[in-house]
Amino acid sequence: MTQRVATVPVVAQPIDPTRLFGKIAMPGALKIAPFRHIWGALLLIHLSRWVEITAVGWVIVEATGSPFLVSLGVFARLAPFVVAGPIGGAMADRVNQVWFIRITTVGRVVIAALLALALFSVGSNLWLIYSLTAIGGLFASAVIPALRALYADLVPERELTSALGFESLAFTISLIIGPLIAGAILPFVDAPLMFVGTTIAYLIAAAAMFMVPASVANLKHDDEEDRAVRPGLFSSIAEGFQVARSRPIIIAVFAVIITAEGFAFTFLHLIPIFATDILGGGPTTLGALWSAQGAGELVGATLIVAWVGKRISSPGRALLMAVGICMLIGIPLGLSSTLPLTLFLLFSLGVSASMFAVMQSHVILMSTPTKLRGRLIGIQTMFLVGFPVGALVVGSIASVFGPHAAVVGMSTTGLILIGFVAIKFPQLRERLVAPE
């Protein structure tokens, strides 16, 4: 007689969504699966961006040797922030943020492919390079408000600093790896092939963004009543400016941003000139200089995510300190003529720059009503125009007085200005209280 053995049905264990592949514990905002996909896409986007920046800078310096024309390339990449930032911010409050991010990422794929095609077909035509770089800057700047507004909707408030820190981490990992890749490959591979590689990387990033469900976006205007009273695009932008003017702490942050972007990072605009004319190096030296700053930002972002972020009671005060330190570092950095000292100072600049990057967005997001966050972040990106304007100014000064005097003079002026901002806006030194 055959006996039947009772079997216990196997019950599939649910996958823990806070763990990678259901098994690996993730820190902070990475516990949230959609944020992990966004972060992976950002990593590829920033990696491609830094390979592009290094390659374009090298193409220009090889073709011209002009500090002004090198800095003009930086201006072309970042000047669109003035226009695209506020418009992108208004769009982030009106449309599905995930779809907006997808569309802008696909736009970057197209621009990278056109840059490769242009270099293959017409060579180092500077004005074509500047034009395509500027269009790429439109996509890069328009997407920032949607990304950061989406973080605020996607992660709990206690993890917002973590999310911003991980964004900075993606940026800085790419800042280390991207220039090293470009610097190592450029001596052996023509520049157009570099842009073929960045096109593929952007394409993978776009695919990653299509893995993020569109439903995770907090649509603030879903019902018909809200649609009926929704203002036009430019009225939405104007409303964002009105809110900014009514909040002194936001005005203070904007003042810090434009001062820091204009004066604290002027050495970065002239890195190709310092690499060749001052330090006597080539593409490898250029990549090492960019990567030194990236290594510092990586350390700074890691400290923010793992320890510092949750212990800061006054992000405004932390913002002021970070910018002041950046200005101070710029003085010996501008005077340096040796590679080891320059690498160390760039690393130190990167640590402070990561705190500056995270705290400015933290203060704005926590000082702004949810429905206006996209617009305020869009206006924030507009003030990043200080960076390309600073590039033109320092490039012009360097063409006349040399790169040493240009960087030292800009850093010293910036230090004085940031002291004035700290005195003018005491709200930055107070404990931050989020609006109702």
Side-chain angles (χ1 to χ4, degrees), residues 222-267:
D222 275 348
D223 60 1
E224 294 298 324
E225 182 179 353
D226 280 346
R227 290 178 187 273
V229 300
R230 183 192 302 180
L233 178 63
F234 292 103
S235 296
S236 295
I237 295 172
E239 184 182 3
F241 277 100
Q242 289 170 0
V243 172
R245 285 198 300 267
S246 68
R247 297 174 185 266
I249 191 168
I250 293 179
I251 296 175
V253 172
F254 290 162
V256 172
I257 291 171
I258 197 166
T259 303
E261 295 290 347
F263 295 91
F265 308 110
T266 50
F267 182 91

mmCIF file of all heavy atoms in Angstrom, residues 222-267:
data_model
loop_
_atom_site.group_PDB
_atom_site.id
_atom_site.type_symbol
_atom_site.label_atom_id
_atom_site.label_comp_id
_atom_site.label_asym_id
_atom_site.label_seq_id
_atom_site.Cartn_x
_atom_site.Cartn_y
_atom_site.Cartn_z
ATOM 1 N N ASP A 222 -4.591 67.339 -10.803
ATOM 2 C CA ASP A 222 -5.290 66.269 -11.478
ATOM 3 C C ASP A 222 -6.783 66.530 -11.648
ATOM 4 O O ASP A 222 -7.387 66.076 -12.597
ATOM 5 C CB ASP A 222 -5.110 64.948 -10.704
ATOM 6 C CG ASP A 222 -3.823 64.251 -11.104
ATOM 7 O OD1 ASP A 222 -3.226 64.676 -12.102
ATOM 8 O OD2 ASP A 222 -3.435 63.288 -10.416
ATOM 9 N N ASP A 223 -7.397 67.218 -10.706
ATOM 10 C CA ASP A 223 -8.839 67.356 -10.810
ATOM 11 C C ASP A 223 -9.219 68.510 -11.741
ATOM 12 O O ASP A 223 -8.448 69.406 -12.030
ATOM 13 C CB ASP A 223 -9.478 67.532 -9.424
ATOM 14 C CG ASP A 223 -8.965 68.764 -8.699
ATOM 15 O OD1 ASP A 223 -8.137 69.478 -9.275
ATOM 16 O OD2 ASP A 223 -9.417 69.000 -7.555
ATOM 17 N N GLU A 224 -10.472 68.435 -12.245
ATOM 18 C CA GLU A 224 -10.926 69.398 -13.254
ATOM 19 C C GLU A 224 -10.970 70.815 -12.713
ATOM 20 O O GLU A 224 -10.704 71.782 -13.420
ATOM 21 C CB GLU A 224 -12.321 68.975 -13.759
ATOM 22 C CG GLU A 224 -12.319 67.667 -14.523
ATOM 23 C CD GLU A 224 -11.458 67.755 -15.774
ATOM 24 O OE1 GLU A 224 -11.434 68.832 -16.403
ATOM 25 O OE2 GLU A 224 -10.798 66.764 -16.114
ATOM 26 N N GLU A 225 -11.307 70.958 -11.432
ATOM 27 C CA GLU A 225 -11.381 72.304 -10.850
ATOM 28 C C GLU A 225 -10.030 72.977 -10.884
ATOM 29 O O GLU A 225 -9.899 74.144 -11.252
ATOM 30 C CB GLU A 225 -11.904 72.211 -9.417
ATOM 31 C CG GLU A 225 -12.071 73.571 -8.745
ATOM 32 C CD GLU A 225 -12.613 73.434 -7.328
ATOM 33 O OE1 GLU A 225 -12.977 72.319 -6.930
ATOM 34 O OE2 GLU A 225 -12.650 74.464 -6.631
ATOM 35 N N ASP A 226 -8.981 72.225 -10.521
ATOM 36 C CA ASP A 226 -7.638 72.798 -10.550
ATOM 37 C C ASP A 226 -7.215 73.139 -11.980
ATOM 38 O O ASP A 226 -6.549 74.134 -12.234
ATOM 39 C CB ASP A 226 -6.621 71.826 -9.934
ATOM 40 C CG ASP A 226 -6.653 71.889 -8.417
ATOM 41 O OD1 ASP A 226 -7.249 72.836 -7.890
ATOM 42 O OD2 ASP A 226 -6.100 70.973 -7.784
ATOM 43 N N ARG A 227 -7.591 72.291 -12.928
ATOM 44 C CA ARG A 227 -7.233 72.557 -14.320
ATOM 45 C C ARG A 227 -7.867 73.852 -14.815
ATOM 46 O O ARG A 227 -7.282 74.595 -15.602
ATOM 47 C CB ARG A 227 -7.678 71.393 -15.215
ATOM 48 C CG ARG A 227 -6.867 70.122 -15.009
ATOM 49 C CD ARG A 227 -7.406 69.004 -15.897
ATOM 50 N NE ARG A 227 -6.755 67.745 -15.598
ATOM 51 C CZ ARG A 227 -5.634 67.328 -16.136
ATOM 52 N NH1 ARG A 227 -5.026 68.096 -17.012
ATOM 53 N NH2 ARG A 227 -5.111 66.160 -15.818
ATOM 54 N N ALA A 228 -9.095 74.110 -14.347
ATOM 55 C CA ALA A 228 -9.818 75.289 -14.808
ATOM 56 C C ALA A 228 -9.181 76.592 -14.333
ATOM 57 O O ALA A 228 -9.205 77.596 -15.023
ATOM 58 C CB ALA A 228 -11.262 75.217 -14.357
ATOM 59 N N VAL A 229 -8.590 76.556 -13.125
ATOM 60 C CA VAL A 229 -8.028 77.785 -12.561
ATOM 61 C C VAL A 229 -6.512 77.852 -12.700
ATOM 62 O O VAL A 229 -5.900 78.800 -12.244
ATOM 63 C CB VAL A 229 -8.413 77.924 -11.065
ATOM 64 C CG1 VAL A 229 -9.920 77.966 -10.915
ATOM 65 C CG2 VAL A 229 -7.839 76.775 -10.241
ATOM 66 N N ARG A 230 -5.913 76.834 -13.335
ATOM 67 C CA ARG A 230 -4.462 76.810 -13.455
ATOM 68 C C ARG A 230 -3.994 77.996 -14.296
ATOM 69 O O ARG A 230 -4.484 78.216 -15.401
ATOM 70 C CB ARG A 230 -4.011 75.513 -14.115
ATOM 71 C CG ARG A 230 -2.486 75.377 -14.214
ATOM 72 C CD ARG A 230 -2.077 74.249 -15.124
ATOM 73 N NE ARG A 230 -2.614 72.977 -14.697
ATOM 74 C CZ ARG A 230 -2.394 71.836 -15.352
ATOM 75 N NH1 ARG A 230 -1.654 71.836 -16.444
ATOM 76 N NH2 ARG A 230 -2.922 70.715 -14.922
ATOM 77 N N PRO A 231 -3.016 78.787 -13.818
ATOM 78 C CA PRO A 231 -2.530 79.933 -14.600
ATOM 79 C C PRO A 231 -1.699 79.466 -15.790
ATOM 80 O O PRO A 231 -1.255 78.319 -15.854
ATOM 81 C CB PRO A 231 -1.673 80.696 -13.594
ATOM 82 C CG PRO A 231 -1.225 79.660 -12.620
ATOM 83 C CD PRO A 231 -2.354 78.675 -12.519
ATOM 84 N N GLY A 232 -1.469 80.370 -16.728
ATOM 85 C CA GLY A 232 -0.621 80.065 -17.859
ATOM 86 C C GLY A 232 0.824 79.876 -17.443
ATOM 87 O O GLY A 232 1.210 80.138 -16.303
ATOM 88 N N LEU A 233 1.636 79.423 -18.409
ATOM 89 C CA LEU A 233 3.032 79.116 -18.105
ATOM 90 C C LEU A 233 3.765 80.321 -17.540
ATOM 91 O O LEU A 233 4.419 80.240 -16.492
ATOM 92 C CB LEU A 233 3.733 78.611 -19.370
ATOM 93 C CG LEU A 233 5.227 78.287 -19.233
ATOM 94 C CD1 LEU A 233 5.438 77.147 -18.256
ATOM 95 C CD2 LEU A 233 5.825 77.939 -20.592
ATOM 96 N N PHE A 234 3.662 81.457 -18.203
ATOM 97 C CA PHE A 234 4.416 82.630 -17.757
ATOM 98 C C PHE A 234 3.819 83.222 -16.477
ATOM 99 O O PHE A 234 4.546 83.800 -15.664
ATOM 100 C CB PHE A 234 4.483 83.664 -18.874
ATOM 101 C CG PHE A 234 5.317 83.210 -20.033
ATOM 102 C CD1 PHE A 234 4.723 82.758 -21.200
ATOM 103 C CD2 PHE A 234 6.703 83.180 -19.942
ATOM 104 C CE1 PHE A 234 5.490 82.309 -22.264
ATOM 105 C CE2 PHE A 234 7.483 82.734 -20.991
ATOM 106 C CZ PHE A 234 6.874 82.298 -22.162
ATOM 107 N N SER A 235 2.512 83.062 -16.275
ATOM 108 C CA SER A 235 1.909 83.481 -15.003
ATOM 109 C C SER A 235 2.426 82.607 -13.866
ATOM 110 O O SER A 235 2.649 83.084 -12.753
ATOM 111 C CB SER A 235 0.387 83.399 -15.080
ATOM 112 O OG SER A 235 -0.116 84.303 -16.038
ATOM 113 N N SER A 236 2.641 81.308 -14.160
ATOM 114 C CA SER A 236 3.198 80.409 -13.152
ATOM 115 C C SER A 236 4.611 80.821 -12.766
ATOM 116 O O SER A 236 4.994 80.809 -11.596
ATOM 117 C CB SER A 236 3.195 78.967 -13.677
ATOM 118 O OG SER A 236 1.895 78.497 -13.884
ATOM 119 N N ILE A 237 5.400 81.186 -13.786
ATOM 120 C CA ILE A 237 6.771 81.646 -13.513
ATOM 121 C C ILE A 237 6.741 82.914 -12.665
ATOM 122 O O ILE A 237 7.498 83.051 -11.693
ATOM 123 C CB ILE A 237 7.524 81.883 -14.834
ATOM 124 C CG1 ILE A 237 7.695 80.568 -15.599
ATOM 125 C CG2 ILE A 237 8.884 82.521 -14.569
ATOM 126 C CD1 ILE A 237 8.258 80.740 -16.999
ATOM 127 N N ALA A 238 5.837 83.856 -13.025
ATOM 128 C CA ALA A 238 5.723 85.104 -12.263
ATOM 129 C C ALA A 238 5.317 84.831 -10.823
ATOM 130 O O ALA A 238 5.811 85.494 -9.893
ATOM 131 C CB ALA A 238 4.707 86.024 -12.941
ATOM 132 N N GLU A 239 4.430 83.855 -10.614
ATOM 133 C CA GLU A 239 4.019 83.514 -9.255
ATOM 134 C C GLU A 239 5.213 83.005 -8.449
ATOM 135 O O GLU A 239 5.372 83.327 -7.266
ATOM 136 C CB GLU A 239 2.927 82.451 -9.289
ATOM 137 C CG GLU A 239 2.373 82.094 -7.910
ATOM 138 C CD GLU A 239 1.321 81.006 -7.964
ATOM 139 O OE1 GLU A 239 1.054 80.473 -9.068
ATOM 140 O OE2 GLU A 239 0.772 80.673 -6.899
ATOM 141 N N GLY A 240 6.075 82.228 -9.095
ATOM 142 C CA GLY A 240 7.274 81.750 -8.408
ATOM 143 C C GLY A 240 8.177 82.891 -7.977
ATOM 144 O O GLY A 240 8.698 82.897 -6.854
ATOM 145 N N PHE A 241 8.353 83.893 -8.853
ATOM 146 C CA PHE A 241 9.170 85.047 -8.493
ATOM 147 C C PHE A 241 8.543 85.834 -7.341
ATOM 148 O O PHE A 241 9.251 86.346 -6.466
ATOM 149 C CB PHE A 241 9.367 85.953 -9.708
ATOM 150 C CG PHE A 241 10.469 85.525 -10.624
ATOM 151 C CD1 PHE A 241 10.184 84.831 -11.801
ATOM 152 C CD2 PHE A 241 11.793 85.787 -10.322
ATOM 153 C CE1 PHE A 241 11.197 84.435 -12.648
ATOM 154 C CE2 PHE A 241 12.817 85.389 -11.166
ATOM 155 C CZ PHE A 241 12.520 84.706 -12.337
ATOM 156 N N GLN A 242 7.223 85.937 -7.327
ATOM 157 C CA GLN A 242 6.537 86.658 -6.242
ATOM 158 C C GLN A 242 6.767 85.970 -4.910
ATOM 159 O O GLN A 242 7.027 86.628 -3.892
ATOM 160 C CB GLN A 242 5.044 86.754 -6.547
ATOM 161 C CG GLN A 242 4.712 87.704 -7.697
ATOM 162 C CD GLN A 242 3.262 87.600 -8.137
ATOM 163 O OE1 GLN A 242 2.488 86.821 -7.581
ATOM 164 N NE2 GLN A 242 2.890 88.376 -9.144
ATOM 165 N N VAL A 243 6.671 84.653 -4.897
ATOM 166 C CA VAL A 243 6.916 83.904 -3.663
ATOM 167 C C VAL A 243 8.363 84.076 -3.216
ATOM 168 O O VAL A 243 8.648 84.273 -2.030
ATOM 169 C CB VAL A 243 6.577 82.405 -3.849
ATOM 170 C CG1 VAL A 243 7.024 81.595 -2.638
ATOM 171 C CG2 VAL A 243 5.085 82.230 -4.083
ATOM 172 N N ALA A 244 9.293 84.024 -4.163
ATOM 173 C CA ALA A 244 10.711 84.192 -3.824
ATOM 174 C C ALA A 244 10.964 85.552 -3.184
ATOM 175 O O ALA A 244 11.669 85.662 -2.171
ATOM 176 C CB ALA A 244 11.573 84.010 -5.064
ATOM 177 N N ARG A 245 10.360 86.605 -3.767
ATOM 178 C CA ARG A 245 10.562 87.959 -3.230
ATOM 179 C C ARG A 245 9.954 88.113 -1.834
ATOM 180 O O ARG A 245 10.420 88.940 -1.047
ATOM 181 C CB ARG A 245 9.949 88.994 -4.175
ATOM 182 C CG ARG A 245 10.753 89.228 -5.436
ATOM 183 C CD ARG A 245 10.349 90.546 -6.099
ATOM 184 N NE ARG A 245 8.935 90.550 -6.454
ATOM 185 C CZ ARG A 245 8.457 90.183 -7.634
ATOM 186 N NH1 ARG A 245 9.287 89.762 -8.569
ATOM 187 N NH2 ARG A 245 7.155 90.234 -7.887
ATOM 188 N N SER A 246 8.940 87.324 -1.530
ATOM 189 C CA SER A 246 8.263 87.463 -0.238
ATOM 190 C C SER A 246 8.972 86.721 0.889
ATOM 191 O O SER A 246 8.589 86.862 2.050
ATOM 192 C CB SER A 246 6.821 86.957 -0.342
ATOM 193 O OG SER A 246 6.788 85.548 -0.530
ATOM 194 N N ARG A 247 9.992 85.937 0.567
ATOM 195 C CA ARG A 247 10.690 85.132 1.586
ATOM 196 C C ARG A 247 12.161 85.526 1.629
ATOM 197 O O ARG A 247 12.946 85.121 0.756
ATOM 198 C CB ARG A 247 10.527 83.641 1.283
ATOM 199 C CG ARG A 247 9.069 83.175 1.334
ATOM 200 C CD ARG A 247 8.913 81.743 0.887
ATOM 201 N NE ARG A 247 7.503 81.387 0.837
ATOM 202 C CZ ARG A 247 6.834 80.795 1.820
ATOM 203 N NH1 ARG A 247 7.468 80.481 2.936
ATOM 204 N NH2 ARG A 247 5.552 80.503 1.698
ATOM 205 N N PRO A 248 12.570 86.295 2.639
ATOM 206 C CA PRO A 248 13.961 86.776 2.707
ATOM 207 C C PRO A 248 14.996 85.660 2.670
ATOM 208 O O PRO A 248 16.073 85.844 2.089
ATOM 209 C CB PRO A 248 14.001 87.530 4.046
ATOM 210 C CG PRO A 248 12.593 87.948 4.286
ATOM 211 C CD PRO A 248 11.745 86.849 3.725
ATOM 212 N N ILE A 249 14.679 84.505 3.250
ATOM 213 C CA ILE A 249 15.687 83.444 3.275
ATOM 214 C C ILE A 249 15.953 82.914 1.875
ATOM 215 O O ILE A 249 17.075 82.533 1.539
ATOM 216 C CB ILE A 249 15.268 82.299 4.228
ATOM 217 C CG1 ILE A 249 16.463 81.350 4.436
ATOM 218 C CG2 ILE A 249 14.047 81.545 3.701
ATOM 219 C CD1 ILE A 249 16.277 80.365 5.551
ATOM 220 N N ILE A 250 14.924 82.918 1.006
ATOM 221 C CA ILE A 250 15.133 82.457 -0.363
ATOM 222 C C ILE A 250 15.953 83.489 -1.140
ATOM 223 O O ILE A 250 16.859 83.127 -1.904
ATOM 224 C CB ILE A 250 13.780 82.182 -1.048
ATOM 225 C CG1 ILE A 250 13.108 80.979 -0.366
ATOM 226 C CG2 ILE A 250 13.972 81.908 -2.536
ATOM 227 C CD1 ILE A 250 11.755 80.627 -0.927
ATOM 228 N N ILE A 251 15.662 84.772 -0.934
ATOM 229 C CA ILE A 251 16.480 85.820 -1.558
ATOM 230 C C ILE A 251 17.932 85.676 -1.116
ATOM 231 O O ILE A 251 18.862 85.814 -1.917
ATOM 232 C CB ILE A 251 15.938 87.211 -1.188
ATOM 233 C CG1 ILE A 251 14.530 87.413 -1.758
ATOM 234 C CG2 ILE A 251 16.867 88.314 -1.704
ATOM 235 C CD1 ILE A 251 13.869 88.707 -1.333
ATOM 236 N N ALA A 252 18.119 85.386 0.165
ATOM 237 C CA ALA A 252 19.478 85.219 0.696
ATOM 238 C C ALA A 252 20.195 84.059 0.014
ATOM 239 O O ALA A 252 21.378 84.170 -0.353
ATOM 240 C CB ALA A 252 19.415 84.997 2.206
ATOM 241 N N VAL A 253 19.501 82.935 -0.164
ATOM 242 C CA VAL A 253 20.116 81.782 -0.826
ATOM 243 C C VAL A 253 20.492 82.126 -2.265
ATOM 244 O O VAL A 253 21.581 81.773 -2.738
ATOM 245 C CB VAL A 253 19.173 80.560 -0.784
ATOM 246 C CG1 VAL A 253 19.735 79.421 -1.633
ATOM 247 C CG2 VAL A 253 18.972 80.089 0.644
ATOM 248 N N PHE A 254 19.609 82.838 -2.963
ATOM 249 C CA PHE A 254 19.924 83.235 -4.333
ATOM 250 C C PHE A 254 21.156 84.138 -4.372
ATOM 251 O O PHE A 254 22.000 84.030 -5.278
ATOM 252 C CB PHE A 254 18.732 83.952 -4.964
ATOM 253 C CG PHE A 254 17.544 83.056 -5.244
ATOM 254 C CD1 PHE A 254 16.286 83.596 -5.459
ATOM 255 C CD2 PHE A 254 17.698 81.676 -5.294
ATOM 256 C CE1 PHE A 254 15.194 82.778 -5.726
ATOM 257 C CE2 PHE A 254 16.606 80.845 -5.556
ATOM 258 C CZ PHE A 254 15.358 81.402 -5.774
ATOM 259 N N ALA A 255 21.281 85.031 -3.389
ATOM 260 C CA ALA A 255 22.457 85.907 -3.325
ATOM 261 C C ALA A 255 23.730 85.094 -3.112
ATOM 262 O O ALA A 255 24.773 85.367 -3.715
ATOM 263 C CB ALA A 255 22.277 86.941 -2.213
ATOM 264 N N VAL A 256 23.642 84.081 -2.251
ATOM 265 C CA VAL A 256 24.802 83.213 -2.015
ATOM 266 C C VAL A 256 25.162 82.452 -3.284
ATOM 267 O O VAL A 256 26.337 82.339 -3.661
ATOM 268 C CB VAL A 256 24.515 82.229 -0.861
ATOM 269 C CG1 VAL A 256 25.637 81.196 -0.749
ATOM 270 C CG2 VAL A 256 24.367 82.978 0.453
ATOM 271 N N ILE A 257 24.140 81.933 -3.979
ATOM 272 C CA ILE A 257 24.385 81.122 -5.173
ATOM 273 C C ILE A 257 25.102 81.929 -6.250
ATOM 274 O O ILE A 257 26.126 81.497 -6.800
ATOM 275 C CB ILE A 257 23.063 80.553 -5.723
ATOM 276 C CG1 ILE A 257 22.488 79.513 -4.765
ATOM 277 C CG2 ILE A 257 23.294 79.903 -7.096
ATOM 278 C CD1 ILE A 257 21.090 79.059 -5.119
ATOM 279 N N ILE A 258 24.562 83.105 -6.577
ATOM 280 C CA ILE A 258 25.166 83.858 -7.679
ATOM 281 C C ILE A 258 26.562 84.361 -7.323
ATOM 282 O O ILE A 258 27.456 84.426 -8.168
ATOM 283 C CB ILE A 258 24.228 85.022 -8.107
ATOM 284 C CG1 ILE A 258 24.646 85.519 -9.493
ATOM 285 C CG2 ILE A 258 24.236 86.157 -7.081
ATOM 286 C CD1 ILE A 258 23.628 86.403 -10.158
ATOM 287 N N THR A 259 26.784 84.651 -6.027
ATOM 288 C CA THR A 259 28.129 85.056 -5.598
ATOM 289 C C THR A 259 29.101 83.895 -5.698
ATOM 290 O O THR A 259 30.214 84.032 -6.224
ATOM 291 C CB THR A 259 28.090 85.592 -4.157
ATOM 292 O OG1 THR A 259 27.161 86.673 -4.073
ATOM 293 C CG2 THR A 259 29.464 86.085 -3.728
ATOM 294 N N ALA A 260 28.685 82.744 -5.191
ATOM 295 C CA ALA A 260 29.559 81.569 -5.212
ATOM 296 C C ALA A 260 29.846 81.106 -6.639
ATOM 297 O O ALA A 260 30.999 80.830 -7.001
ATOM 298 C CB ALA A 260 28.930 80.433 -4.409
ATOM 299 N N GLU A 261 28.796 81.027 -7.457
ATOM 300 C CA GLU A 261 28.992 80.551 -8.826
ATOM 301 C C GLU A 261 29.874 81.502 -9.626
ATOM 302 O O GLU A 261 30.636 81.074 -10.502
ATOM 303 C CB GLU A 261 27.631 80.388 -9.518
ATOM 304 C CG GLU A 261 26.731 79.321 -8.915
ATOM 305 C CD GLU A 261 27.238 77.912 -9.156
ATOM 306 O OE1 GLU A 261 28.145 77.740 -9.999
ATOM 307 O OE2 GLU A 261 26.740 76.984 -8.498
ATOM 308 N N GLY A 262 29.783 82.799 -9.339
ATOM 309 C CA GLY A 262 30.573 83.765 -10.087
ATOM 310 C C GLY A 262 32.020 83.856 -9.658
ATOM 311 O O GLY A 262 32.898 84.138 -10.487
ATOM 312 N N PHE A 263 32.300 83.603 -8.350
ATOM 313 C CA PHE A 263 33.633 83.909 -7.830
ATOM 314 C C PHE A 263 34.370 82.740 -7.178
ATOM 315 O O PHE A 263 35.594 82.787 -7.062
ATOM 316 C CB PHE A 263 33.527 85.041 -6.798
ATOM 317 C CG PHE A 263 33.076 86.347 -7.369
ATOM 318 C CD1 PHE A 263 31.736 86.684 -7.405
ATOM 319 C CD2 PHE A 263 33.990 87.250 -7.890
ATOM 320 C CE1 PHE A 263 31.306 87.885 -7.936
ATOM 321 C CE2 PHE A 263 33.576 88.460 -8.429
ATOM 322 C CZ PHE A 263 32.232 88.780 -8.456
ATOM 323 N N ALA A 264 33.659 81.699 -6.733
ATOM 324 C CA ALA A 264 34.315 80.657 -5.933
ATOM 325 C C ALA A 264 34.995 79.579 -6.768
ATOM 326 O O ALA A 264 35.897 78.901 -6.288
ATOM 327 C CB ALA A 264 33.298 79.999 -4.991
ATOM 328 N N PHE A 265 34.559 79.400 -8.006
ATOM 329 C CA PHE A 265 35.041 78.253 -8.781
ATOM 330 C C PHE A 265 35.719 78.681 -10.081
ATOM 331 O O PHE A 265 35.696 77.955 -11.074
ATOM 332 C CB PHE A 265 33.858 77.315 -9.081
ATOM 333 C CG PHE A 265 33.077 76.931 -7.851
ATOM 334 C CD1 PHE A 265 31.793 77.420 -7.649
ATOM 335 C CD2 PHE A 265 33.638 76.108 -6.894
ATOM 336 C CE1 PHE A 265 31.083 77.086 -6.517
ATOM 337 C CE2 PHE A 265 32.934 75.758 -5.759
ATOM 338 C CZ PHE A 265 31.651 76.252 -5.558
ATOM 339 N N THR A 266 36.333 79.853 -10.068
ATOM 340 C CA THR A 266 36.912 80.389 -11.298
ATOM 341 C C THR A 266 38.087 79.558 -11.800
ATOM 342 O O THR A 266 38.352 79.534 -13.008
ATOM 343 C CB THR A 266 37.365 81.843 -11.078
ATOM 344 O OG1 THR A 266 38.161 81.914 -9.888
ATOM 345 C CG2 THR A 266 36.166 82.761 -10.916
ATOM 346 N N PHE A 267 38.790 78.876 -10.894
ATOM 347 C CA PHE A 267 39.900 78.029 -11.335
ATOM 348 C C PHE A 267 39.412 76.961 -12.312
ATOM 349 O O PHE A 267 40.121 76.601 -13.259
ATOM 350 C CB PHE A 267 40.557 77.361 -10.123
ATOM 351 C CG PHE A 267 41.754 76.504 -10.472
ATOM 352 C CD1 PHE A 267 43.021 77.043 -10.480
ATOM 353 C CD2 PHE A 267 41.608 75.158 -10.793
ATOM 354 C CE1 PHE A 267 44.122 76.269 -10.806
ATOM 355 C CE2 PHE A 267 42.689 74.373 -11.120
ATOM 356 C CZ PHE A 267 43.961 74.927 -11.127
#
